[in-house]
Amino acid sequence: MAQDGLCVGFEFADGPPVVWSFGKLVKARGLRQAAGAMVNLLDTKFLFASLLWGSIGVGYFIYGKKQQAMPPLIGGLVMIALSYFVESWFWMSLAGAALMAAIYWLVRHGY
């Protein structure tokens, strides 16, 4: 069942329904939980956090590429990919702040 580009579809194998949504694979206990997983992707806080940490990640990536510094380059890629793997805006922001602190510490100590 497709829904305006939000979800590629439901697959009903022998197990519970599986939702392919924005590149994420979400296993659900039922159709109601699967629909709830898609709604999380449209949450304002989640979208803003994804935009914020993705933009900071792009900045780190460009800086690392131009300066030929590996910690900002790799940290930027991880920040960009963060929104694909973390489903909560709070944990995404916590992980993004921790990555920024780790990149700062690594650059400060000469890595």
Side-chain angles (χ1 to χ4, degrees):
M1 150 184 351
Q3 187 181 23
D4 295 337
L6 295 176
C7 139
V8 174
F10 292 113
E11 293 180 9
F12 294 98
D14 293 333
V18 176
V19 180
W20 293 90
S21 179
F22 288 120
K24 293 183 181 183
L25 174 66
V26 180
K27 292 185 180 178
R29 291 190 183 130
L31 290 177
R32 184 171 297 216
Q33 187 179 4
M38 289 186 328
V39 170
N40 185 32
L41 294 175
L42 297 177
D43 182 27
T44 308
K45 295 173 189 173
F46 178 80
L47 289 174
F48 182 72
S50 295
L51 176 69
L52 176 71
W53 296 113
S55 300
I56 292 172
V58 168
Y60 272 123
F61 177 75
I62 291 171
Y63 174 79
K65 188 174 178 183
K66 289 190 182 251
Q67 297 295 322
Q68 296 179 350
M70 290 308 281
L73 183 94
I74 294 172
L77 286 175
V78 171
M79 270 193 201
I80 292 168
L82 192 63
S83 65
Y84 287 103
F85 299 112
V86 181
E87 294 181 6
S88 167
W89 68 270
F90 176 76
W91 293 111
M92 184 187 314
S93 297
L94 206 60
L99 273 169
M100 285 179 63
I103 292 169
Y104 175 78
W105 186 83
L106 287 171
V107 169
R108 185 91 169 145
H109 286 81
Y111 288 101

